[in-house]
Coordinates of all heavy atoms in Angstrom, one line a residue:
I664 N -9.1 -2.4 -1.2 CA -8.9 -1.1 -1.7 C -10.3 -0.4 -1.6 O -11.2 -0.9 -2.1 CB -8.4 -1.0 -3.1 CG1 -7.1 -1.8 -3.2 CG2 -8.2 0.5 -3.5 CD1 -6.6 -2.0 -4.6
V665 N -10.3 0.8 -1.0 CA -11.6 1.5 -0.9 C -11.5 2.9 -1.6 O -12.3 3.3 -2.3 CB -12.0 1.7 0.5 CG1 -13.3 2.6 0.6 CG2 -12.2 0.4 1.2
N666 N -10.3 3.5 -1.5 CA -10.0 4.8 -2.1 C -9.0 4.6 -3.2 O -9.0 3.5 -3.9 CB -9.4 5.8 -1.1 CG -10.5 6.1 0.0 OD1 -11.6 6.4 -0.3 ND2 -10.1 5.9 1.3
T667 N -8.2 5.5 -3.5 CA -7.1 5.4 -4.5 C -5.9 4.9 -3.9 O -5.4 5.4 -2.9 CB -6.9 6.7 -5.3 OG1 -8.1 7.2 -5.9 CG2 -5.8 6.6 -6.3
L668 N -5.3 3.9 -4.6 CA -4.0 3.3 -4.2 C -3.0 3.7 -5.3 O -3.2 3.3 -6.5 CB -4.0 1.8 -4.0 CG -2.7 1.1 -3.7 CD1 -2.1 1.6 -2.4 CD2 -2.9 -0.4 -3.8
T669 N -1.9 4.5 -5.0 CA -0.9 4.8 -6.0 C 0.3 4.0 -5.8 O 0.8 3.9 -4.7 CB -0.6 6.3 -5.9 OG1 -1.8 7.1 -6.1 CG2 0.5 6.7 -6.9
L670 N 0.7 3.3 -6.9 CA 1.9 2.5 -6.9 C 3.0 3.1 -7.7 O 2.8 3.5 -8.9 CB 1.6 1.1 -7.5 CG 0.5 0.3 -6.9 CD1 0.2 -1.0 -7.6 CD2 0.8 0.0 -5.4
D671 N 4.1 3.4 -7.1 CA 5.3 4.0 -7.8 C 6.1 2.9 -8.4 O 6.6 2.0 -7.7 CB 6.1 4.8 -6.8 CG 5.5 6.1 -6.4 OD1 4.6 6.6 -7.1 OD2 5.9 6.7 -5.4
L672 N 6.3 3.1 -9.7 CA 7.1 2.0 -10.5 C 8.6 2.5 -10.6 O 8.8 3.6 -11.2 CB 6.5 1.8 -11.8 CG 7.0 0.7 -12.7 CD1 6.9 -0.7 -12.0 CD2 6.3 0.7 -14.0
F673 N 9.5 1.8 -10.0 CA 10.9 2.2 -10.1 C 11.6 1.6 -11.4 O 10.9 0.8 -12.1 CB 11.6 1.8 -8.9 CG 11.3 2.6 -7.7 CD1 10.1 2.4 -6.9 CD2 12.1 3.7 -7.3 CE1 9.8 3.2 -5.8 CE2 11.8 4.5 -6.3 CZ 10.6 4.3 -5.5
D674 N 12.8 1.9 -11.6 CA 13.5 1.4 -12.7 C 13.6 -0.2 -12.7 O 13.7 -0.7 -11.6 CB 14.9 1.9 -12.8 CG 15.0 3.4 -13.0 OD1 14.1 3.9 -13.7 OD2 15.9 4.1 -12.6
G675 N 13.5 -0.8 -13.8 CA 13.6 -2.2 -13.9 C 14.9 -2.6 -14.6 O 15.7 -1.8 -15.0
S676 N 15.1 -3.9 -14.7 CA 16.2 -4.4 -15.4 C 15.8 -4.9 -16.8 O 14.6 -5.4 -16.9 CB 16.8 -5.7 -14.6 OG 17.3 -5.2 -13.4
I677 N 16.6 -4.7 -17.8 CA 16.2 -5.1 -19.1 C 15.8 -6.6 -19.1 O 16.4 -7.5 -18.6 CB 17.4 -4.9 -20.1 CG1 17.7 -3.4 -20.2 CG2 17.1 -5.5 -21.5 CD1 18.9 -3.0 -20.9
G678 N 14.6 -6.8 -19.7 CA 14.0 -8.1 -19.7 C 13.1 -8.5 -18.5 O 12.3 -9.5 -18.6
Q679 N 13.1 -7.6 -17.5 CA 12.2 -7.8 -16.4 C 10.7 -7.7 -16.8 O 10.4 -6.7 -17.5 CB 12.6 -6.9 -15.2 CG 11.7 -7.1 -14.0 CD 12.2 -6.0 -12.9 OE1 13.1 -5.3 -13.0 NE2 11.5 -6.1 -11.8
E680 N 9.9 -8.5 -16.3 CA 8.4 -8.4 -16.5 C 7.7 -8.2 -15.1 O 8.2 -8.6 -14.1 CB 7.9 -9.6 -17.1 CG 8.3 -9.9 -18.5 CD 7.8 -11.1 -19.1 OE1 6.7 -11.0 -19.8 OE2 8.4 -12.2 -19.0
I681 N 6.6 -7.4 -15.2 CA 5.8 -7.3 -14.0 C 4.4 -7.3 -14.4 O 4.0 -6.7 -15.4 CB 6.2 -6.0 -13.2 CG1 5.5 -6.0 -11.9 CG2 5.9 -4.8 -14.0 CD1 6.1 -4.9 -10.9
F682 N 3.5 -7.9 -13.6 CA 2.1 -8.0 -13.8 C 1.4 -7.3 -12.6 O 1.7 -7.6 -11.5 CB 1.6 -9.5 -14.0 CG 2.1 -10.2 -15.1 CD1 3.4 -10.8 -15.1 CD2 1.3 -10.3 -16.2 CE1 3.8 -11.5 -16.2 CE2 1.8 -11.0 -17.3 CZ 3.0 -11.6 -17.3
F683 N 0.5 -6.5 -12.9 CA -0.4 -5.9 -11.9 C -1.8 -6.5 -12.2 O -2.3 -6.3 -13.3 CB -0.4 -4.4 -11.9 CG 0.9 -3.8 -11.4 CD1 1.8 -3.3 -12.4 CD2 1.2 -3.6 -10.1 CE1 3.0 -2.8 -12.0 CE2 2.4 -3.1 -9.7 CZ 3.3 -2.7 -10.7
V684 N -2.4 -7.1 -11.2 CA -3.8 -7.7 -11.4 C -4.7 -7.2 -10.2 O -4.3 -7.4 -9.0 CB -3.7 -9.2 -11.4 CG1 -5.1 -9.8 -11.6 CG2 -2.7 -9.7 -12.5
Y685 N -5.8 -6.6 -10.5 CA -6.7 -6.1 -9.6 C -7.6 -7.3 -9.2 O -8.4 -7.8 -10.0 CB -7.6 -5.0 -10.3 CG -8.3 -4.1 -9.3 CD1 -8.2 -2.8 -9.3 CD2 -9.2 -4.7 -8.4 CE1 -9.0 -2.0 -8.5 CE2 -10.0 -3.9 -7.5 CZ -9.8 -2.5 -7.6 OH -10.6 -1.7 -6.8
T686 N -7.5 -7.8 -8.0 CA -8.2 -9.0 -7.5 C -9.3 -8.7 -6.5 O -10.2 -9.5 -6.3 CB -7.2 -10.0 -7.0 OG1 -6.5 -9.5 -5.9 CG2 -6.2 -10.5 -8.0
I687 N -9.2 -7.7 -5.8 CA -10.2 -7.4 -4.7 C -10.2 -5.9 -4.4 O -9.3 -5.2 -4.5 CB -9.8 -8.2 -3.4 CG1 -11.0 -8.1 -2.5 CG2 -8.6 -7.7 -2.8 CD1 -10.9 -9.1 -1.3
G688 N -11.4 -5.4 -4.1 CA -11.6 -4.0 -3.7 C -12.5 -3.3 -4.6 O -13.2 -3.9 -5.5
S689 N -12.7 -2.0 -4.3 CA -13.6 -1.1 -5.1 C -13.1 0.2 -5.5 O -13.8 1.0 -6.0 CB -15.0 -1.0 -4.3 OG -14.7 -0.4 -3.1
G690 N -11.8 0.5 -5.2 CA -11.2 1.8 -5.5 C -10.4 1.7 -6.7 O -10.4 0.8 -7.5
L691 N -9.6 2.8 -6.9 CA -8.8 3.0 -8.1 C -7.3 2.6 -7.7 O -6.8 3.1 -6.7 CB -8.9 4.4 -8.6 CG -7.9 4.9 -9.7 CD1 -8.2 4.1 -11.0 CD2 -8.0 6.3 -9.9
V692 N -6.7 1.9 -8.6 CA -5.2 1.6 -8.5 C -4.6 2.4 -9.6 O -4.9 2.2 -10.8 CB -4.9 0.2 -8.6 CG1 -3.3 -0.1 -8.5 CG2 -5.5 -0.6 -7.5
Q693 N -3.6 3.4 -9.2 CA -2.9 4.1 -10.2 C -1.4 3.7 -10.2 O -0.8 3.7 -9.1 CB -3.0 5.6 -10.0 CG -4.4 6.1 -10.3 CD -4.5 7.6 -10.2 OE1 -3.8 8.2 -9.4 NE2 -5.1 8.2 -11.2
I694 N -0.9 3.4 -11.3 CA 0.5 3.0 -11.4 C 1.2 4.1 -12.2 O 0.8 4.5 -13.3 CB 0.7 1.7 -12.2 CG1 -0.1 0.6 -11.5 CG2 2.2 1.3 -12.3 CD1 -0.5 -0.6 -12.4
E695 N 2.3 4.7 -11.5 CA 3.0 5.8 -12.2 C 4.5 5.6 -11.9 O 4.9 4.9 -11.0 CB 2.5 7.1 -11.7 CG 2.7 7.3 -10.2 CD 2.0 8.6 -9.7 OE1 1.2 9.2 -10.3 OE2 2.4 9.0 -8.5
Q696 N 5.3 6.4 -12.7 CA 6.7 6.4 -12.5 C 7.1 6.9 -11.1 O 6.6 8.0 -10.8 CB 7.4 7.2 -13.6 CG 8.9 7.2 -13.5 CD 9.6 8.0 -14.6 OE1 9.0 8.0 -15.7 NE2 10.7 8.6 -14.3
A697 N 8.0 6.3 -10.4 CA 8.4 6.8 -9.1 C 9.3 8.1 -9.4 O 9.9 8.1 -10.4 CB 9.3 5.7 -8.4
P698 N 9.1 9.0 -8.5 CA 9.9 10.2 -8.7 C 11.5 10.0 -8.9 O 12.1 10.7 -9.6 CB 9.7 11.0 -7.4 CG 8.4 10.5 -6.9 CD 8.3 9.1 -7.3
A699 N 12.0 9.0 -8.2 CA 13.4 8.7 -8.3 C 13.8 7.9 -9.5 O 15.0 7.7 -9.8 CB 13.9 8.1 -7.0
A700 N 12.8 7.4 -10.3 CA 13.1 6.5 -11.4 C 13.6 7.3 -12.6 O 13.2 8.5 -12.8 CB 11.9 5.8 -11.8
T701 N 14.5 6.8 -13.3 CA 15.1 7.5 -14.5 C 14.7 6.9 -15.8 O 14.7 7.6 -16.8 CB 16.7 7.5 -14.4 OG1 17.1 6.1 -14.4 CG2 17.2 8.2 -13.2
G702 N 14.3 5.7 -15.8 CA 13.9 5.0 -17.1 C 12.6 5.4 -17.6 O 12.4 5.8 -18.8
G703 N 11.6 5.4 -16.8 CA 10.2 5.9 -17.2 C 9.3 4.8 -17.7 O 9.7 3.6 -17.9
I704 N 8.1 5.1 -18.0 CA 7.1 4.3 -18.6 C 6.7 5.0 -19.9 O 6.4 6.1 -20.0 CB 5.8 4.3 -17.7 CG1 6.2 3.9 -16.2 CG2 4.8 3.3 -18.3 CD1 5.0 4.0 -15.3
V705 N 6.7 4.1 -21.0 CA 6.4 4.6 -22.3 C 4.9 4.4 -22.5 O 4.4 3.3 -22.5 CB 7.2 3.9 -23.4 CG1 6.7 4.4 -24.7 CG2 8.7 4.2 -23.2
L706 N 4.2 5.6 -22.6 CA 2.7 5.5 -22.8 C 2.3 6.4 -23.9 O 3.1 7.4 -24.2 CB 2.0 6.0 -21.5 CG 2.2 5.3 -20.2 CD1 1.6 6.0 -19.0 CD2 1.6 3.9 -20.3
P707 N 1.3 6.1 -24.7 CA 0.9 6.9 -25.8 C 0.4 8.3 -25.3 O -0.2 8.4 -24.2 CB -0.2 6.1 -26.5 CG -0.7 5.2 -25.4 CD 0.4 4.9 -24.5
G708 N 0.7 9.3 -26.1 CA 0.2 10.7 -25.7 C 1.2 11.4 -24.9 O 1.9 10.8 -24.1
S709 N 1.3 12.7 -25.1 CA 2.3 13.5 -24.3 C 1.9 13.8 -22.9 O 2.8 14.1 -22.1 CB 2.6 14.8 -25.1 OG 1.4 15.5 -25.2
S710 N 0.7 13.7 -22.6 CA 0.2 14.0 -21.3 C -0.2 12.9 -20.4 O -0.7 13.1 -19.3 CB -1.0 15.0 -21.3 OG -2.1 14.4 -21.9
T711 N 0.0 11.6 -20.9 CA -0.4 10.4 -20.1 C 0.7 10.0 -19.3 O 1.9 9.9 -19.7 CB -0.8 9.3 -21.0 OG1 0.2 9.0 -21.9 CG2 -2.1 9.7 -21.8
T712 N 0.5 9.8 -18.0 CA 1.5 9.5 -17.0 C 1.2 8.3 -16.1 O 2.0 7.8 -15.3 CB 1.9 10.7 -16.1 OG1 0.8 11.1 -15.4 CG2 2.5 11.9 -17.0
K713 N -0.1 7.8 -16.2 CA -0.5 6.8 -15.2 C -1.3 5.7 -15.9 O -2.0 5.9 -16.9 CB -1.5 7.5 -14.2 CG -0.9 8.5 -13.3 CD -1.8 9.1 -12.4 CE -1.1 10.1 -11.5 NZ -1.5 11.4 -11.6
I714 N -1.2 4.5 -15.4 CA -1.9 3.4 -15.8 C -3.0 3.1 -14.7 O -2.6 3.1 -13.5 CB -1.0 2.1 -16.0 CG1 0.1 2.4 -17.0 CG2 -1.8 0.9 -16.4 CD1 1.2 1.4 -16.9
N715 N -4.2 3.0 -15.0 CA -5.3 2.8 -14.0 C -6.0 1.5 -14.1 O -6.3 1.0 -15.2 CB -6.4 3.9 -14.3 CG -5.8 5.3 -14.3 OD1 -5.1 5.7 -13.3 ND2 -6.0 6.0 -15.3
L716 N -6.1 0.9 -13.0 CA -7.0 -0.3 -12.8 C -8.1 0.0 -11.9 O -8.0 0.5 -10.8 CB -6.1 -1.5 -12.2 CG -4.8 -1.9 -12.9 CD1 -4.1 -2.9 -12.1 CD2 -5.1 -2.4 -14.3
N717 N -9.3 -0.2 -12.4 CA -10.5 0.3 -11.7 C -11.5 -0.8 -11.2 O -12.3 -0.5 -10.4 CB -11.4 1.1 -12.7 CG -10.7 2.4 -13.1 OD1 -10.4 3.2 -12.2 ND2 -10.4 2.5 -14.3
A718 N -11.3 -2.0 -11.6 CA -12.3 -3.1 -11.2 C -11.6 -4.5 -11.2 O -10.6 -4.7 -11.8 CB -13.4 -3.1 -12.2
T719 N -12.2 -5.4 -10.4 CA -11.8 -6.7 -10.3 C -11.6 -7.3 -11.6 O -12.5 -7.2 -12.5 CB -12.7 -7.6 -9.5 OG1 -12.9 -6.9 -8.2 CG2 -12.3 -8.9 -9.3
G720 N -10.5 -8.0 -11.9 CA -10.2 -8.6 -13.2 C -9.4 -7.9 -14.1 O -8.8 -8.4 -15.1
E721 N -9.2 -6.6 -13.9 CA -8.3 -5.8 -14.8 C -6.9 -6.1 -14.4 O -6.5 -6.4 -13.3 CB -8.7 -4.3 -14.6 CG -10.1 -3.9 -15.1 CD -10.4 -2.5 -15.0 OE1 -9.6 -1.7 -14.5 OE2 -11.4 -2.1 -15.6
S722 N -6.1 -5.9 -15.5 CA -4.6 -6.2 -15.3 C -3.8 -5.5 -16.4 O -4.3 -4.9 -17.4 CB -4.4 -7.7 -15.6 OG -4.7 -8.1 -16.9
V723 N -2.5 -5.4 -16.1 CA -1.6 -4.8 -17.0 C -0.3 -5.5 -16.9 O 0.1 -5.9 -15.8 CB -1.4 -3.3 -16.8 CG1 -0.7 -2.9 -15.5 CG2 -0.6 -2.6 -18.0
H724 N 0.4 -5.8 -18.0 CA 1.6 -6.6 -18.1 C 2.7 -5.6 -18.7 O 2.5 -5.0 -19.8 CB 1.4 -7.8 -19.1 CG 2.7 -8.5 -19.4 ND1 2.7 -9.4 -20.4 CD2 3.9 -8.5 -18.8 CE1 3.9 -10.0 -20.4 NE2 4.7 -9.4 -19.5
L725 N 3.7 -5.3 -17.9 CA 4.8 -4.4 -18.3 C 6.1 -5.2 -18.5 O 6.4 -6.2 -17.8 CB 5.0 -3.3 -17.2 CG 3.8 -2.5 -16.8 CD1 4.1 -1.6 -15.6 CD2 3.4 -1.7 -18.0
L726 N 6.8 -4.7 -19.5 CA 8.2 -5.3 -19.8 C 9.2 -4.2 -19.9 O 9.0 -3.2 -20.5 CB 8.1 -6.1 -21.2 CG 9.4 -6.6 -21.7 CD1 9.9 -7.7 -20.8 CD2 9.1 -7.2 -23.1
A727 N 10.4 -4.4 -19.2 CA 11.5 -3.4 -19.3 C 12.3 -3.7 -20.6 O 12.8 -4.8 -20.7 CB 12.3 -3.5 -18.0
I728 N 12.4 -2.7 -21.4 CA 13.0 -2.9 -22.7 C 14.2 -1.9 -22.8 O 14.1 -0.7 -22.4 CB 12.0 -2.7 -23.9 CG1 11.0 -3.8 -23.8 CG2 12.8 -2.7 -25.2 CD1 9.9 -3.6 -24.8
D729 N 15.3 -2.3 -23.5 CA 16.4 -1.3 -23.6 C 16.0 -0.2 -24.5 O 15.4 -0.3 -25.5 CB 17.5 -2.2 -24.3 CG 18.9 -1.4 -24.4 OD1 18.9 -0.2 -24.6 OD2 19.9 -2.1 -24.3
N730 N 16.3 1.0 -24.0 CA 16.0 2.2 -24.8 C 17.0 2.6 -25.9 O 16.8 3.7 -26.5 CB 15.8 3.4 -23.8 CG 17.1 3.9 -23.2 OD1 18.1 3.3 -23.4 ND2 17.0 5.0 -22.5
G731 N 17.9 1.7 -26.1 CA 18.9 2.0 -27.1 C 20.2 2.6 -26.6 O 21.2 2.6 -27.2
S732 N 20.1 3.0 -25.3 CA 21.3 3.5 -24.6 C 21.7 2.7 -23.4 O 22.5 3.1 -22.6 CB 21.1 5.0 -24.1 OG 20.7 5.8 -25.2
G733 N 21.1 1.5 -23.4 CA 21.5 0.6 -22.2 C 20.6 0.7 -21.0 O 20.9 0.1 -20.0
A734 N 19.7 1.7 -21.0 CA 18.8 1.9 -19.9 C 17.4 1.2 -20.2 O 17.0 1.2 -21.2 CB 18.6 3.3 -19.6
A735 N 16.8 0.7 -19.1 CA 15.5 0.0 -19.2 C 14.4 1.0 -19.1 O 14.4 1.9 -18.2 CB 15.4 -1.0 -18.1
V736 N 13.4 0.9 -20.0 CA 12.1 1.7 -19.9 C 11.0 0.7 -19.9 O 11.1 -0.4 -20.5 CB 12.0 2.7 -21.0 CG1 13.0 3.8 -20.8 CG2 12.1 2.1 -22.4
W737 N 9.9 1.0 -19.2 CA 8.8 0.1 -19.1 C 7.8 0.3 -20.3 O 7.5 1.5 -20.6 CB 8.0 0.3 -17.8 CG 8.7 -0.1 -16.6 CD1 9.4 0.8 -15.7 CD2 9.0 -1.4 -16.1 NE1 10.0 0.0 -14.7 CE2 9.8 -1.3 -14.9 CE3 8.6 -2.6 -16.6 CZ2 10.1 -2.5 -14.3 CZ3 9.0 -3.8 -15.9 CH2 9.7 -3.7 -14.7
Y738 N 7.4 -0.7 -20.9 CA 6.4 -0.7 -22.0 C 5.3 -1.6 -21.6 O 5.5 -2.7 -20.9 CB 7.0 -1.3 -23.3 CG 7.8 -0.3 -24.0 CD1 9.2 -0.1 -23.7 CD2 7.3 0.5 -25.1 CE1 10.0 0.8 -24.5 CE2 8.1 1.4 -25.8 CZ 9.4 1.5 -25.5 OH 10.2 2.4 -26.1
I739 N 4.0 -1.2 -22.0 CA 2.9 -2.1 -21.8 C 2.9 -3.1 -22.9 O 3.0 -2.7 -24.1 CB 1.6 -1.3 -21.8 CG1 1.5 -0.3 -20.7 CG2 0.3 -2.2 -21.8 CD1 0.3 0.6 -20.7
V740 N 2.8 -4.4 -22.6 CA 2.8 -5.4 -23.6 C 1.6 -6.3 -23.5 O 1.4 -7.2 -24.3 CB 4.1 -6.4 -23.5 CG1 5.4 -5.6 -23.9 CG2 4.2 -7.0 -22.1
G741 N 0.7 -6.0 -22.6 CA -0.6 -6.7 -22.5 C -1.4 -6.3 -21.3 O -1.0 -5.4 -20.5
G742 N -2.5 -6.9 -21.2 CA -3.4 -6.6 -20.1 C -4.9 -6.6 -20.5 O -5.2 -6.8 -21.7
Q743 N -5.7 -6.3 -19.6 CA -7.2 -6.4 -19.8 C -7.9 -5.2 -19.0 O -7.7 -5.2 -17.8 CB -7.7 -7.8 -19.4 CG -9.2 -7.9 -19.4 CD -9.7 -8.0 -20.8 OE1 -9.1 -8.4 -21.7 NE2 -10.9 -7.4 -21.0
G744 N -8.6 -4.4 -19.7 CA -9.4 -3.4 -19.0 C -8.7 -2.2 -18.4 O -9.4 -1.3 -18.0
Y745 N -7.4 -2.1 -18.5 CA -6.7 -1.0 -17.9 C -7.0 0.3 -18.8 O -7.4 0.2 -19.9 CB -5.2 -1.2 -17.8 CG -4.5 -1.3 -19.1 CD1 -4.0 -0.3 -19.8 CD2 -4.3 -2.7 -19.7 CE1 -3.4 -0.4 -21.1 CE2 -3.7 -2.8 -20.9 CZ -3.3 -1.6 -21.6 OH -2.7 -1.8 -22.8
T746 N -6.8 1.4 -18.2 CA -6.9 2.7 -18.9 C -5.6 3.5 -18.6 O -4.9 3.2 -17.6 CB -8.1 3.5 -18.5 OG1 -8.0 3.8 -17.1 CG2 -9.4 2.8 -18.8
I747 N -5.3 4.5 -19.4 CA -4.2 5.3 -19.1 C -4.7 6.8 -19.0 O -5.7 7.2 -19.6 CB -3.1 5.2 -20.2 CG1 -3.6 5.5 -21.6 CG2 -2.4 3.9 -20.1 CD1 -2.5 5.5 -22.7
S748 N -4.1 7.6 -18.2 CA -4.4 9.0 -18.1 C -3.2 9.8 -17.8 O -2.2 9.4 -17.5 CB -5.4 9.1 -16.9 OG -4.9 8.7 -15.7

C-alpha cells in the first residue's frame, strides 16, 4: 500500500467475526460501510464513519451482533492502534 486503500464492509451474519491486520505498506487503510450495506458499523460519535489503519502492526477486530430486530451490525470488539474518523 502506498496511497489510501478503502475497504467497503458489507453486511455480516450474526456471530461473524472479521479481523483486519495491517502487515505491509506505508499508506492508509480505511474501512467503511459499503453503500449497499444495510446493517452498518457502530462507531462512537455521530460523525464517525471510518476505521483507519495507518501502520504495520495495527489491527481491528469486528463482530456482527444482532441489533434487536434480527439484523447484524458490526461492532469493534478489539484491536491495536486503529483510529476512527
Side-chain angles (χ1 to χ4, degrees):
I664 303 167
V665 177
N666 296 310
T667 299
L668 173 64
T669 301
L670 303 175
D671 286 341
L672 187 61
F673 286 85
D674 294 329
S676 298
I677 294 169
Q679 180 180 358
E680 296 180 88
I681 189 166
F682 293 83
F683 292 98
V684 180
Y685 196 127
T686 58
I687 191 169
S689 60
L691 172 66
V692 175
Q693 289 188 320
I694 304 158
E695 61 186 15
Q696 179 178 330
T701 57
I704 306 172
V705 176
L706 297 172
S709 60
S710 63
T711 57
T712 60
K713 296 179 175 116
I714 303 167
N715 304 305
L716 303 175
N717 294 300
T719 302
E721 294 184 350
S722 64
V723 66
H724 173 193
L725 302 173
L726 175 64
I728 298 174
D729 188 323
N730 70 354
S732 299
V736 291
W737 291 106
Y738 282 84
I739 296 174
V740 294
Q743 174 69 34
Y745 66 87
T746 59
I747 56 173
S748 60

